[in-house]
Each structure stands twice: as structure tokens, then as C-alpha cells.
Amino acid sequence: SCASIGAARDVGSLDCAILDHQAISPPHETVLAFCREARPVILLSGSADPWLAEGIFQVVQKPLLGKPLLAAVEDALRSMETSETSL
């Protein structure tokens, strides 16, 4: 829930965050702030709502988790390594 998202601490120290679409509820600003701080964020859902798309690294469709989720996490971590080396 957003209460949990809002209470999350030290999300900047995460290598990758996985967010279930069922955990998202208003206010959307809280969710967007979480996504900005916890990048990269993988969303478990059918699709990303347009207001959320900018904060999400990749959407993994339910119920196709397993290998697609692992591949998304690997891609997200690889993208962070690339962005850190280009700084």
C-alpha cells in the first residue's frame, strides 16, 4: 500500500525495487517519489498506467513471473552498472 511505500526507508540503497500494482493507491505523488528514489523499479502488472510509466524501468506481466521477472531484474541491475560507469 502507499502507507508502506511512504514508510519505506533507505530506498536509495536498493539495487532494484519490485512493485506490485496492487500496492499502488493514491496519492500518486507518493508512488512517483518512491519510484524516483528507488530506481530502477520493476512493476508487476498487466501494464503501466500512463502517469506511472516514467518511473518504471520495466513492466513484468502477471502471471508470467519466474524467468521474465529474473530477466527484468538482471536488465535493471545491468542498466544501473552502465549508468554508474558513465558518470
Side-chain angles (χ1 to χ4, degrees):
S1 71
C2 272
S4 298
I5 291 172
R9 299 175 200 267
D10 299 323
V11 294
S13 65
L14 298 176
D15 291 329
C16 178
I18 299 171
L19 179 61
D20 191 306
H21 78 282
Q22 293 177 335
I24 298 172
S25 61
H28 293 159
E29 296 79 22
T30 303
V31 177
L32 291 172
F34 172 83
C35 290
R36 280 191 296 274
E37 185 68 25
R39 284 184 186 210
V41 177
I42 297 168
L43 178 67
L44 305 180
S45 180
S47 64
D49 290 328
W51 65 268
L52 182 58
E54 70 182 59
I56 299 299
F57 174 78
Q58 185 172 343
V59 176
V60 176
Q61 291 189 355
K62 288 182 170 184
L64 302 176
L65 301 178
K67 288 183 182 179
L69 177 57
L70 291 175
V73 170
E74 290 171 351
D75 290 345
L77 295 176
R78 211 172 294 116
S79 77
M80 293 306 291
E81 290 173 358
T82 302
S83 67
E84 287 176 3
T85 58
S86 64
L87 293 179

